[in-house]
Amino acid sequence: MNEPLDRPGFGQNVVPIEEYRGDHGRTPAAPTATVAPIASVESEAGLIGCIMQAPHVFPLVQHLVAAEHFFEEAHRAIWQVMGDLVAAGDTPNGIKVKAALGATNLAFDLGGQNVLSYLGRLVVMACTPISAPEYARTIQQYWQLRELAAVTNKAADGSGFVPGPHLERVYARVDQIRASFVDRKVMSVTADEAGDELIADITADLQGHGRVVPHTRVEAFDKEIGGGPQPSTLITVAARTAMGKSIFGVEQASAIGRQGHLAIYHSLEMTRKQIQARRTSSWLFDRGTKLAYEQIMRRRGLSPSEADHVADAVYEMRGEHFHIEDGGGRTIGDIAAASDRLANSYARKGVPLGMVVIDHAHIVRPSRAYNREDEGLKEVADGALSLAKHLDVPVLLLAQCNRNTEGKSVEDRRPSLADIRGAGAFEENSDAVAFLYRPAYYIERSGKYREQNPEALAEHAGCRHLLEIIIDKNRIGRANHIVRAWIDPALNAIRNLQPGV
């Protein structure tokens, strides 16, 4: 980055470090009648100094603060350079930052000193690296306050506006500002307080007014994970391609949405039309009509009467709280911010958030370039768990198994933790890890089945609707346990396993 720093307004808010006082914003050396800006310049300088002193700290704070969050123009430019260095796989230390800023920028006057001497003072006066996250949070909180002041100021500046639409714009912007800071909340309690809370929850359940936990389409699975997906938990469900990951995700989210809760489905692969076609096919199946979602999506794939069935289903599902976030190339931070914004928006309408689904983990874009794939996947797993804690809802994280299962014996190709790409991150962060397995998938691809061998056909008929949900890790219930369900992939339908269905 060699863009000159002497653009209009640059450096006007920068003063020598000696004049930064306290954490309540910048205070001029001499009394003045002007209103002090809502900012903590000392925190901004402290964070930059921490990073140049200990560059390895940057990944710990980059999700908390961006260049636009800084009040001082000089700090914004320096932070942008640091981010560019990290994205390029380089180290944001003092030497690299100075080189990236360039000679012209380094010579710019900042309150009687140039950028080179200013950066040197930041490094010398920097606090310990452990202070970096607190500095970052302070910077972002001040930015939020400035943004809130700006968005609400129009009501007092004398300019005209229509109250209703303006209020909606204000609410939307407030949601965006709140969503910009998603971090795991830390609760500090004694064991006695935790015990009192536990007893209070049990008593409320017995009296019938405890917190409602929405259920999924599979009762046996709900039983194993505490009666339904629990608040503040991360559930990872992994499988090979064509085993039913997206079917499972859409079905669970649809079930949540039909119980008066909001389900947010982040689709990084399927389009919103594909998701809706899947939901429609499953909905029609419950009402006795079998229409494959592939047929619904196919151009001229429906007769007029079938099209009427689809139209009726779409109309009947309008009251369900199912929100689709469609689009790839997003980071876990983007997903978290959108989830927070949507949760706030629906909460104002009286609709509580019930579940967030991310489909799927292995195509979430890392926020920066990592040396190893598992480092990027750890960022995704860490962020998904933080999102579950922040919103106090279950997050269902779908994940892709690698091809190791294909190398297993034909008798048992069931996946295990070792078969997830980046397994360590998902095992560490997840409250439950489950795998999906359809034995019919491998039979359908065998030579005997394709040759219409009677034994292969009979074997396939006996398991064509069987889905195994293999619970490998489970903090709430039994691990190393298999739950069986009924599935029809063509109809995107998963149901309780019942004889004769």
Side-chain angles (χ1 to χ4, degrees):
M1 173 179 171
N2 288 313
E3 179 187 354
L5 301 186
D6 54 351
R7 53 187 178 273
F10 186 87
Q12 293 177 358
N13 294 313
V14 179
V15 296
I17 195 71
E18 298 93 330
E19 295 184 22
Y20 297 161
R21 296 212 305 259
D23 279 332
H24 303 288
R26 174 181 144 200
T27 303
T32 178
T34 59
V35 178
I38 305 172
S40 175
V41 180
E42 184 176 75
S43 294
E44 296 180 5
L47 178 60
I48 291 172
C50 278
I51 300 303
M52 288 194 295
Q53 187 183 78
H56 66 277
V57 174
F58 190 86
L60 302 179
V61 297
Q62 68 176 134
H63 67 290
L64 295 177
V65 64
E68 61 266 24
H69 297 151
F70 287 82
F71 177 72
E72 295 288 359
E73 282 288 333
H75 295 162
R76 293 182 197 175
I78 294 168
W79 192 259
Q80 184 64 54
V81 163
M82 288 180 165
D84 291 344
L85 285 168
V86 171
D90 219 327
T91 305
N93 57 31
I95 295 175
K96 296 291 178 64
V97 170
K98 293 169 187 174
L101 284 171
T104 302
N105 292 336
L106 290 175
F108 191 80
D109 179 59
L110 300 174
Q113 58 185 327
N114 59 30
V115 176
L116 183 62
S117 60
Y118 180 72
L119 290 174
R121 302 189 99 181
L122 293 186
V123 174
V124 171
M125 302 187 69
C127 296
T128 58
I130 199 172
S131 304
E134 189 59 37
Y135 281 144
R137 292 187 184 94
T138 300
I139 292 167
Q140 226 229 39
Q141 287 165 357
Y142 271 110
W143 171 81
Q144 290 176 328
L145 289 171
R146 292 196 300 273
E147 291 295 302
L148 287 172
V151 77
T152 56
N153 187 56
K154 187 174 177 62
D157 66 3
S159 59
F161 57 86
V162 180
H166 176 67
L167 192 58
E168 284 301 313
R169 288 192 293 269
V170 169
Y171 278 139
R173 182 55 181 151
V174 169
D175 286 341
Q176 291 174 350
I177 294 168
R178 290 189 76 253
S180 66
F181 181 40
V182 177
D183 192 20
R184 181 171 177 171
K185 290 182 172 66
V186 178
M187 298 294 292
S188 178
V189 298
T190 65
D192 291 344
E193 290 170 332
D196 291 342
E197 186 176 351
L198 175 62
I199 295 301
D201 287 346
I202 294 173
T203 301
D205 284 340
L206 292 174
Q207 294 175 350
H209 53 77
R211 177 172 179 173
V212 177
V213 176
H215 58 78
T216 72
R217 296 301 301 254
V218 184
E219 293 177 2
F221 181 64
D222 287 344
K223 181 180 178 181
E224 296 299 326
I225 59 173
Q230 297 296 305
S232 298
T233 58
L234 175 61
I235 303 170
T236 296
V237 174
R240 282 287 296 136
T241 300
M243 285 294 167
K245 289 191 309 297
S246 294
I247 300 173
F248 189 87
V250 172
E251 284 285 78
Q252 307 321 307
S254 293
I256 300 295
R258 289 168 188 162
Q259 297 168 63
H261 291 72
L262 169 65
I264 303 174
Y265 198 98
H266 292 278
S267 176
L268 286 87
E269 276 188 317
M270 293 187 296
T271 67
R272 53 190 177 274
K273 290 182 181 179
Q274 289 173 328
I275 294 171
Q276 190 61 17
R278 287 172 177 265
R279 297 183 66 234
T280 300
S281 182
S282 178
W283 193 94
L284 287 171
F285 173 65
D286 280 339
R287 286 146 185 84
T289 300
K290 291 185 177 182
L291 273 179
Y293 67 82
E294 181 273 336
Q295 184 180 351
I296 296 173
M297 286 294 299
R298 189 190 316 141
R299 185 173 177 80
R300 299 188 183 92
L302 299 175
S303 67
S305 62
E306 290 171 334
D308 286 340
H309 283 307
V310 171
D312 289 342
V314 170
Y315 179 80
E316 292 293 333
M317 288 191 292
R318 284 188 181 276
E320 299 175 2
H321 304 299
F322 189 106
H323 194 101
I324 303 168
E325 287 288 292
D326 169 15
R330 287 178 289 159
T331 67
I332 192 64
D334 296 332
I335 290 170
S339 300
D340 202 359
R341 172 178 54 80
L342 289 168
N344 293 329
S345 177
Y346 276 83
R348 288 201 304 271
K349 304 172 187 176
V351 181
L353 180 60
M355 175 180 281
V356 175
V357 180
I358 302 173
D359 184 10
H360 60 82
H362 289 91
I363 51 178
V364 175
R365 181 173 64 83
S367 63
R368 66 184 184 88
Y370 288 98
N371 293 326
R372 303 194 314 270
E373 182 190 36
D374 62 321
E375 293 176 327
L377 293 173
K378 186 176 188 311
E379 176 188 274
V380 175
D382 289 347
L385 178 59
S386 294
L387 180 60
K389 302 298 183 185
H390 175 76
L391 296 178
D392 194 26
V393 296
V395 170
L396 177 60
L397 180 63
L398 304 180
Q400 182 81 14
C401 285
N402 55 35
R403 295 183 178 274
N404 290 349
T405 54
E406 308 301 323
K408 295 183 179 181
S409 65
V410 176
E411 290 75 20
D412 190 4
R413 286 176 169 163
R414 291 170 177 83
S416 62
L417 281 169
D419 297 316
I420 309 182
R421 290 162 49 198
F426 299 111
E427 181 179 9
E428 176 184 347
N429 286 278
S430 301
D431 296 277
V433 179
F435 298 91
L436 304 181
Y437 177 75
R438 291 194 303 113
Y441 171 85
Y442 291 104
I443 297 174
E444 292 165 356
R445 283 152 181 78
S446 68
K448 290 184 177 181
Y449 180 82
R450 291 170 177 169
E451 294 167 1
Q452 299 292 290
N453 179 279
E455 291 184 2
L457 293 175
E459 184 182 9
H460 180 265
C463 67
R464 65 188 297 258
H465 289 303
L466 176 62
L467 173 67
E468 294 184 6
I469 306 172
I470 306 166
I471 304 175
D472 199 312
K473 175 186 176 181
N474 191 3
R475 287 183 178 140
I476 300 173
R478 291 182 293 178
N480 192 28
H481 181 69
I482 297 178
V483 167
R484 291 173 174 82
W486 184 96
I487 186 171
D488 190 321
L491 303 177
N492 200 90
I494 296 177
R495 303 292 184 268
N496 294 315
L497 186 63
Q498 298 175 357
V501 177

